[in-house]
Amino acid sequence: MSRESVPYGLWPSPITPARVAQSERLRDLAWDTEEASLVWLTERSDRGVLVCRFLDLYASRDLTSTHSVRARVGYGGGDMTVSHGQAYFCSEGRLYRKPLRAGEVEAITPAFGQVASPRVSPDGRWVLFVHTYDEEDCLAIVDVEGRRWPQKLVQGADFYMQPVWHPGGEHIAWVSWNHPRMPWDGTTLGMATLKEGSDGIPVLKGETVVAGSEDVSIFQPTFSPDGRHLAYVSDVSGWYNLYLYDMETGKHSSLVSDEAELARPAWAQGMRTYAWSADGKAIYYLRNQEGFFSLWSVNVTTGQTSPIKALSSYTYLSQVDVSPMTGSVAVIASSAKIPPRVLVYGPTSESVHVVAHADTEMIPQDILSEPQPISWETEQDGPVHGLLYMPQGNRYDSGGKPPLIVMVHGGPTSQTLAEYSSRVQFLATRGYAVLELNYRGSTGYGRDYRNELRGRWGIVDVDDAVSGARCLVKRGLVDEEKLVIMGGSAGGYSVLQGLIRYPGTFKAGVCLYGVTNLFTLAADTHKFEQHYLDSMIGPLPETAHRYRERSPIFHADRIEDPVAIFQGEDDRVVPVEQAETIVEALRRNGVPHEYHLYSGEGHGWRKAETIESFYQSLEAFLKQYVLFA
């Protein structure tokens, strides 16, 4: 039977802009400490909603309707927790609590600064949380009913994240770091003993540094259920691996040592990649091997590790948590062909139950593309990695080779993963090949690979994007005349740099809230990244020449290929002026371009109407300047 003749890029797809816009985004989850109830955070358009399910009732319901759940410390995250039958969440700079069964939402902190990562004491009396005001961060504490004014508990560092309680309530632990480092450069694991103050509010009795340094990154401290050990992830070996600190002897031991990543760069609060089993005999951890995730367990006595085979069909997992009541493991999971789900795994029965979906999952799986790990050699610095998605070529008789979208991730300290990506599938199901680039400097391949971008941002990432495209052309997989470079944030910066340094290589560029002026970025960006460029470019004023050499705004006259610019009007990370200066230069130089400014949006899209408009505009731009040019 002959196939219908449809050119690449024009294949009809059920993944419409409206469908992408209406999909929910699963962000976090947590078990209650008193009964078998699970709460998860989902984003519906620009609103964060807590959903609760009592597993014995087999039904879920929304907990929040009048408040949008979202923490705003740095890039967000650490939005919620659950304890003693109550959900605690962040909204508009305040902490709230809401009973899981009957009861109203109550504020427990005043509207003062921003809050994140609430953690409830084992006795249910206190909430420990991250607080920031006027660019001063600390760990603060408040009673669960909010009858007293919150008090600062730990302060002095520039940043704090991942606070936790000892199960006995007498200790807390946390991660902190200082400028100019980022949390993946070097952090410290702090621990302190608490005592009751004269007013009844806990105060610090003693504080010590347990692990970490200016050159070693620590991630996610967590006490064992019996309080004997403090687990944490460290990259001291060159890879993010799992360690134990013995609270009685003060000795550290390596629990999992592997050439794989057991943590991710801490761009946000509240990130979790492992959890203790309810009996404290094992730890469940997420293992990232070249962007493909799997769930494993390790026996804390013998060190024996084993994969959880019941979840082997999923290639991306996040926010693992264990019920202290039942021992069940909850996780957010997806794969290239499975949109995100909330799963519950029962270790005893080895059963897996789906308790929530982000999408209706009605798209035929045979039209979706699966990622192929791909590597290619550079001339001097070794291999570069990525994930390649090829369109399912048996659908239509298209002739020739597909156009290629080189997708450059943000960060730049980040990684593209083997997860469900609406953006990738939107393009692949229309007949585009997509190369998700993990350029030198990306995470997921060890500390040495991650550090290869230091001082070379705007050079290495761009060279790797070009060499990746040329590699696929040389292998005969894509159309050399229809190459596109696309990215957001740091990836948007790489797009502009690619068009400047390699004019004519790409048919077009798509830049989402990309950096255009490194000088103004260093001066105007939010606190979290105020000194990020010290390592990526170099310190000012000593390396000012690099800032000028690598700022697209000073070399915009070299851009000759069509480019689409997308920007959020309320972006605090890359302010709107960054986009408008490059747009003015493109207009002045007569370069074909489009500029889309979205009101009410920040560094990325949240509103359904924005997401739908973006995909409509993206598809039209690619048709005009790539397919029909």
Side-chain angles (χ1 to χ4, degrees):
M1 182 181 296
S2 62
R3 292 176 294 169
E4 182 181 359
S5 178
V6 181
Y8 284 115
L10 298 179
W11 295 359
S13 171
I15 305 179
T16 63
R19 184 189 184 97
V20 176
Q22 295 303 320
S23 296
E24 295 187 13
R25 299 176 293 279
L26 299 171
R27 296 303 190 198
D28 201 359
L29 52 78
W31 290 99
D32 186 25
T33 59
E34 290 191 341
E35 55 184 319
S37 56
L38 180 66
V39 177
W40 60 91
L41 171 62
T42 185
E43 288 186 354
R44 300 171 186 160
S45 188
D46 60 342
R47 293 190 60 80
V49 180
L50 290 183
V51 184
C52 177
R53 177 168 172 177
F54 293 90
L55 297 190
D56 58 340
L57 299 180
Y58 299 99
S60 58
R61 63 183 180 87
D62 291 354
L63 287 178
T64 55
S65 57
T66 58
H67 298 78
S68 179
V69 179
R70 184 184 176 192
R72 296 176 182 268
V73 175
Y75 276 103
D79 308 273
M80 50 82 73
T81 193
V82 185
S83 181
H84 294 81
Q86 303 273 341
Y88 296 82
F89 64 91
C90 308
S91 180
E92 300 300 327
R94 305 181 75 175
L95 277 179
Y96 293 84
R97 72 170 187 166
K98 169 72 169 66
L100 300 187
R101 293 193 181 271
E104 299 298 319
V105 172
E106 297 180 69
I108 62 173
T109 64
F112 179 75
Q114 296 293 337
V115 296
S117 297
R119 292 295 178 263
V120 182
S121 61
D123 61 9
R125 297 175 58 200
W126 307 100
V127 182
L128 178 69
F129 61 98
V130 175
H131 184 266
T132 182
Y133 176 73
D134 199 21
E135 297 199 344
E136 291 189 6
D137 292 16
C138 70
L139 294 181
I141 194 167
V142 68
D143 63 282
V144 295
E145 296 180 348
R147 293 180 178 179
R148 307 188 188 196
W149 192 264
Q151 300 294 311
K152 292 181 179 180
L153 196 59
V154 184
Q155 57 187 318
D158 289 328
F159 301 95
Y160 293 91
M161 67 179 179
Q162 299 172 329
V164 291
W165 290 88
H166 184 274
E170 68 269 28
H171 303 290
I172 60 171
W174 64 88
V175 171
S176 63
W177 72 100
N178 291 300
H179 283 313
R181 291 178 297 280
M182 300 298 285
W184 45 86
D185 295 329
T187 58
T188 57
L189 168 54
M191 186 171 65
T193 302
L194 299 181
K195 68 175 182 178
E196 187 173 299
S198 58
D199 56 359
I201 298 178
V203 296
L204 292 190
K205 182 179 179 182
E207 182 178 342
T208 185
V209 173
V210 175
S213 69
E214 293 184 357
D215 300 311
V216 174
S217 174
I218 304 297
F219 181 92
Q220 193 195 338
T222 310
F223 289 101
S224 59
D226 63 4
R228 171 69 185 271
H229 293 100
L230 175 63
Y232 62 93
V233 179
S234 171
D235 71 346
V236 67
S237 69
W239 295 85
Y240 273 124
N241 281 177
L242 190 58
Y243 295 81
L244 288 181
Y245 173 75
D246 191 308
M247 295 286 290
E248 294 182 4
T249 67
K251 293 183 179 180
H252 299 260
S253 59
S254 173
L255 186 59
V256 178
S257 181
D258 195 358
E259 288 194 357
E261 302 285 25
L262 275 57
R264 297 184 61 191
W267 278 101
Q269 296 275 340
M271 298 172 66
R272 300 190 308 277
T273 58
Y274 73 90
W276 285 88
S277 64
D279 59 11
K281 295 180 179 180
I283 291 179
Y284 295 94
Y285 66 93
L286 304 182
R287 184 179 186 272
N288 173 7
Q289 184 77 47
E290 296 186 339
F292 289 77
F293 280 64
S294 52
L295 179 65
W296 289 61
S297 68
V298 56
N299 184 298
V300 296
T301 301
T302 66
Q304 181 178 354
T305 63
S306 57
I308 306 302
K309 296 180 180 179
L311 298 180
S312 60
S313 60
Y314 299 93
T315 53
Y316 176 69
L317 306 163
S318 67
Q319 298 304 96
V320 59
D321 196 27
V322 174
S323 170
M325 304 300 298
T326 67
S328 297
V329 183
V331 69
I332 299 173
S334 73
S335 72
K337 293 189 174 185
I338 304 174
R341 300 170 170 178
V342 174
L343 303 180
V344 172
Y345 164 70
T348 303
S349 63
E350 295 191 357
S351 59
V352 177
H353 299 283
V354 180
V355 298
H357 300 262
D359 197 288
T360 56
E361 301 189 12
M362 296 299 291
I363 300 171
Q365 288 200 355
D366 60 354
I367 73 169
L368 298 175
S369 179
E370 288 191 287
Q372 308 166 31
I374 182 174
S375 299
W376 60 96
E377 294 291 327
T378 60
E379 292 184 2
Q380 297 177 338
D381 295 325
V384 181
H385 306 284
L387 299 177
L388 176 62
Y389 295 79
M390 295 297 294
Q392 297 303 296
N394 60 344
R395 294 177 60 198
Y396 299 99
D397 182 9
S398 299
K401 299 178 178 64
L404 172 69
I405 310 289
V406 179
M407 200 85 73
V408 189
H409 64 67
T413 308
S414 189
Q415 183 185 14
T416 57
L417 305 167
E419 61 186 321
Y420 183 82
S421 170
S422 296
R423 187 170 299 177
V424 168
Q425 299 297 353
F426 180 88
L427 295 164
T429 56
R430 284 164 171 75
Y432 291 91
V434 179
L435 172 61
E436 287 212 295
L437 178 68
N438 281 321
Y439 50 77
R440 289 167 289 165
S442 301
T443 53
Y445 305 90
R447 189 182 183 99
D448 290 344
Y449 191 83
R450 187 173 80 225
N451 287 344
E452 287 193 31
L453 198 63
R454 288 189 169 186
R456 301 197 290 173
W457 187 33
I459 297 176
V460 167
D461 47 316
V462 176
D463 290 348
D464 291 351
V466 172
S467 67
R470 288 174 175 172
C471 170
L472 296 181
V473 169
K474 186 176 181 180
R475 295 183 186 182
L477 297 175
V478 299
D479 188 339
E480 184 177 16
E481 300 300 319
K482 296 179 180 178
L483 307 178
V484 180
I485 184 169
M486 176 177 175
S489 189
Y493 167 73
S494 301
V495 167
L496 297 176
Q497 282 290 89
L499 298 178
I500 288 169
R501 294 185 54 219
Y502 294 93
T505 298
F506 297 101
K507 192 77 171 179
V510 180
C511 172
L512 288 74
Y513 36 90
V515 176
T516 66
N517 189 328
L518 296 174
F519 286 107
T520 55
L521 179 69
D524 298 338
T525 195
H526 61 160
K527 177 188 175 183
F528 183 76
E529 294 186 75
Q530 280 177 356
H531 293 275
Y532 191 18
L533 297 188
D534 288 14
S535 60
M536 293 294 99
I537 303 294
L540 287 171
E542 298 93 321
T543 59
H545 63 285
R546 295 183 191 170
Y547 284 69
R548 179 167 290 274
E549 288 171 357
R550 301 185 205 168
S551 291
I553 190 59
F554 299 118
H555 311 286
D557 58 332
R558 299 182 191 172
I559 298 178
E560 58 185 44
D561 305 300
V563 57
I565 306 289
F566 297 87
Q567 178 69 36
E569 194 171 39
D570 300 334
D571 196 335
R572 296 186 304 116
V573 181
V574 180
V576 67
E577 291 77 16
Q578 292 264 332
E580 295 188 341
T581 52
I582 200 73
V583 169
E584 176 55 34
L586 295 171
R587 185 181 298 116
R588 185 172 58 249
N589 295 329
V591 178
H593 68 280
E594 294 180 3
Y595 178 42
H596 301 271
L597 180 65
Y598 298 118
S599 63
E601 295 287 10
H603 201 62
W605 321 139
R606 293 180 179 274
K607 296 181 179 180
E609 57 268 31
T610 301
I611 296 170
E612 183 172 2
S613 173
F614 165 73
Y615 279 100
Q616 290 172 343
S617 300
L618 173 64
E619 185 172 19
F621 175 81
L622 294 175
K623 285 181 179 179
Q624 180 175 354
Y625 292 105
V626 179
L627 302 181
F628 299 152

